[in-house]
Amino acid sequence: MGITMFGPNLATLSEKRQVIAVELKGHGHTADIDRPLRFEAMADDIAAQMKYLGIQQADIIGHSLGGGVALQLPYGTPVGGAS
C-alpha cells in the first residue's frame, strides 16, 4: 500500500491546501531499508523532508502506520509547529 490509497482525497485536499504526499521509507514505491521500522525514525524522516522543503508548520495526515508517524511529529522532532 502506498500513496495511491489516498486516491481522490488528494485532489480534494489540494483544492484549499498545498498537498505534499510522501511515502514512508520501506513502503509504497520506496526501496526496502536496512533499519528498524520505528515511528520515531520515520517521523524524523518526515521532519527532515519538511526542513529541506522549508516547511515550518503543516497539517499532517496518515493512514495506519502513517497515522502513528504523524502522531510522533509534534513530540521531539526538530521541525516544531507540526500539527
Side-chain angles (χ1 to χ4, degrees), residues 36-49:
L37 298 176
R38 299 185 60 222
F39 291 119
E40 298 86 358
M42 292 182 174
D44 289 344
D45 292 341
I46 298 299
Q49 185 167 28

Side-chain angles (χ1 to χ4, degrees), residues 8-80:
N9 294 318
L10 293 177
T12 301
L13 289 169
S14 67
E15 290 174 3
K16 296 186 179 183
R17 302 263 189 182
Q18 177 185 18
V19 173
I20 300 170
V22 300
E23 293 182 316
L24 300 172
K25 290 183 179 179
H27 291 78
H29 298 93
T30 68
D32 288 338
I33 57 173
D34 187 24
R35 73 172 192 200
L37 298 176
R38 299 185 60 222
F39 291 119
E40 298 86 358
M42 292 182 174
D44 289 344
D45 292 341
I46 298 299
Q49 185 167 28
M50 290 174 64
K51 183 176 180 180
Y52 175 80
L53 295 172
I55 298 169
Q56 304 241 341
Q57 187 172 4
D59 297 314
I60 309 289
I61 63 169
H63 174 72
S64 192
L65 177 67
V69 172
L71 289 171
Q72 291 296 312
L73 281 163
Y75 305 102
T77 58
V79 174

